[in-house]
């Protein structure tokens, strides 16, 4: 039964029983009803030998695709075609995808020329089906939670002793003087507000734990998805239209300074059969993204830097507003 399936190859189709190249096909249903930011996240582990690398949780960052690990010394990525048009697959609404076909070897991808040196990913979007007008409305709400892969140091006295040990080995001098050692020990033994602060040589010093991750990072970040699609088909024509909205917030515990991502998708498709010879296909795909980043957090590490902050540092946001 599976050998009778039709596979998209090049600019046409072919039955699977007659196909000699290595091809992976997945149905669009694996991407539906899932709290994913883009198509790349949904394809992880779905197609054999298709490697998908997600750099971080930022939905504005595209996923990296690699087929069978092949690439040149300067890197390389497969050719991605959406309805035979090259474009970024991560900008598509996952619910608009009918199927994804991955051409893995030279014989399958030869028709696309040099651009297909590292394989081809063919994406087919949905089209109108059914003899009656069909209207589907979907809404998804999800919450993501930040994960810390290390246990942060919450005892300032342990931090002071460890840093002194490291700097003495490096340059022979401790980073913190004896007053810091004694002050953090007092707070560690009796963590009350009176032991958090002190004055040494006329300077105000902080000996407590700033609880950096707890105060700066929220427990959950919301993710929202809304979709509306209308489809219809007959012997002479088919019509499909969809409108999607996706939004995801960052993990900063401050609404004004938090990262906010929004994506709007619109897909309009119409197929009209004029006669037995002439058929008209029309497609309009519009995608708009807004990524509000009030501050640039050290390349792509973003909030991961919070786990490396000194527990004795004062908590502050990029505009130098102190807590």
């Amino acid at each position: 039964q599976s050998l009778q399936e039709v596979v998209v190859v090049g600019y046409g189709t072919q039955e699977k029983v007659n196909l000699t190249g290595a091809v992976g096909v997945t149905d669009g249903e694996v991407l539906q009803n899932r709290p994913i930011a883009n198509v790349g996240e949904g394809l992880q582990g779905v197609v054999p030998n298709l490697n998908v690398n997600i750099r971080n949780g930022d939905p504005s960052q595209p996923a990296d695709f690699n087929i069978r690990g092949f690439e040149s010394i300067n890197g390389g990525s497969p050719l991605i075609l959406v309805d035979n048009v090259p474009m970024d697959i991560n900008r598509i609404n996952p619910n608009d995808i009918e199927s994804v076909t991955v051409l893995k070897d030279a014989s399958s991808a030869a028709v696309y020329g040099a651009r297909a040196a590292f394989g081809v990913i063919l994406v087919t979007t949905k089209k109108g089906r059914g003899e009656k007008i069909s209207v589907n409305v979907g809404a998804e709400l999800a919450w993501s939670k930040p994960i810390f892969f290390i246990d942060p140091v919450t005892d300032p006295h342990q931090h002071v002793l460890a840093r002194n040990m490291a700097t003495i080995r490096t340059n022979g001098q401790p980073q913190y003087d004896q007053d810091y050692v004694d002050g953090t020990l007092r707070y560690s033994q009796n963590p009350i507000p009176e032991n958090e602060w002190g004055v040494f040589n006329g300077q105000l010093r902080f000996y407590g734990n700033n609880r950096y991750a707890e105060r700066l990072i929220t427990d959950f970040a919301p993710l929202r998805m809304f979709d509306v699609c209308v489809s219809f088909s007959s012997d002479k024509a088919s019509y499909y239209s969809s409108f999607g909205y996706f939004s995801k917030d960052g993990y900063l515990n401050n609404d004004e300074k938090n990262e906010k991502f929004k994506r709007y998708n619109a897909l309009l498709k119409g197929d009209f059969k004029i006669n037995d010879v002439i058929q008209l296909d029309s497609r309009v795909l519009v995608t708009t993204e807004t990524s509000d980043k009030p501050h640039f957090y050290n390349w792509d590490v973003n909030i991961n830097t919070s786990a490396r902050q000194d527990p004795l540092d004062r908590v502050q946001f990029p505009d130098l507003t102190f807590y």
Side-chain angles (χ1 to χ4, degrees):
Q1 180 67 25
S2 63
L3 295 179
Q4 303 301 320
E5 296 177 359
V6 175
V7 178
V8 179
V9 179
Y11 296 97
T13 59
Q14 194 173 35
E15 286 190 3
K16 203 169 186 178
V17 67
N18 299 323
L19 188 62
T20 59
V23 177
V25 183
T26 183
D27 194 273
E29 292 183 358
V30 300
L31 304 175
Q32 297 179 10
N33 302 322
R34 297 178 58 188
I36 55 178
N38 51 51
V39 179
E41 293 183 1
L43 290 178
Q44 282 186 307
V46 174
V47 180
N49 295 319
L50 176 62
N51 306 312
V52 184
N53 181 32
I54 306 297
R55 296 182 63 185
N56 54 37
D58 187 351
S60 65
Q61 294 292 326
D64 296 328
F65 296 93
N66 178 275
I67 298 176
R68 287 184 169 178
F70 291 147
E71 57 183 37
S72 70
I73 191 173
N74 297 319
S77 58
L79 173 64
I80 300 177
L81 299 176
V82 179
D83 290 334
N84 288 327
V85 178
M87 67 174 297
D88 184 4
I89 191 177
N90 294 297
R91 293 179 175 269
I92 307 173
N93 185 353
N95 292 326
D96 287 336
I97 294 180
E98 179 72 23
S99 65
V100 178
T101 303
V102 181
L103 310 183
K104 305 176 185 178
D105 59 12
S107 62
S108 300
V111 68
Y112 295 99
R115 294 184 301 172
F118 305 107
V120 183
I121 299 178
L122 304 176
V123 179
T124 303
T125 56
K126 296 179 180 178
K127 61 181 181 179
R129 291 181 177 177
E131 298 180 354
K132 296 182 180 180
I133 297 178
S134 175
V135 179
N136 295 321
V137 180
E140 297 180 33
L141 299 176
W143 284 265
S144 56
K145 182 178 177 61
I147 298 176
F148 292 94
F149 293 103
I150 61 174
D151 294 328
V153 178
T154 58
D155 189 337
H157 186 61
Q158 291 182 0
H159 171 78
V160 167
L161 296 179
R163 290 296 302 176
N164 281 352
M165 182 183 299
T167 54
I168 289 175
R169 289 179 177 178
T170 303
N171 52 36
Q173 297 294 329
Q175 179 177 345
Y176 296 98
D177 55 30
Q178 189 61 39
D179 177 74
Y180 259 120
V181 175
D182 296 338
T184 54
L185 178 60
R186 286 194 303 271
Y187 176 82
S188 178
Q189 293 176 343
N190 188 16
I192 59 177
E194 289 77 4
N195 290 336
E196 284 187 328
W197 298 90
V199 177
F200 181 75
N201 290 339
Q203 294 184 348
L204 184 65
R205 284 186 169 183
F206 180 69
Y207 305 113
N209 175 26
N210 56 29
R211 297 180 290 113
Y212 199 93
E214 177 184 340
R215 300 170 69 179
L216 200 62
I217 300 176
T218 185
D219 293 332
F220 296 94
L223 182 150
R224 296 169 287 267
M225 298 177 64
F226 303 97
D227 294 280
V228 178
C229 68
V230 180
S231 63
F232 168 78
S233 69
S234 65
D235 295 338
K236 298 295 184 180
S238 67
Y239 175 78
Y240 178 87
S241 65
S242 73
F243 302 90
Y245 168 79
F246 173 86
S247 70
K248 183 178 181 181
D249 295 345
Y251 294 109
L252 290 181
N253 192 19
N254 185 294
D255 187 64
E256 294 182 358
K257 301 174 178 63
N258 197 13
E259 300 185 40
K260 295 180 176 64
F261 176 84
K262 292 180 174 61
R263 183 179 64 225
Y264 303 87
N265 295 97
L267 175 62
L268 305 176
K269 297 181 66 175
D271 300 332
F272 307 95
K273 184 177 181 182
I274 306 302
N275 51 45
D276 294 338
V277 178
I278 302 175
Q279 181 173 339
L280 300 179
D281 298 334
S282 61
R283 297 177 179 85
V284 177
L285 176 62
V286 179
T287 300
T288 301
E289 293 183 355
T290 59
S291 183
D292 183 9
K293 289 180 170 58
H295 182 70
F296 189 60
Y297 294 93
N298 189 20
W299 293 100
D300 66 342
V301 293
N302 290 335
I303 62 170
N304 296 332
T305 57
S306 65
R308 302 197 300 267
Q309 295 296 324
D310 191 328
L312 296 176
D313 287 344
R314 298 175 64 186
V315 177
Q316 67 183 56
F317 280 106
D319 60 359
L320 301 182
T321 300
F322 289 92
Y323 263 75

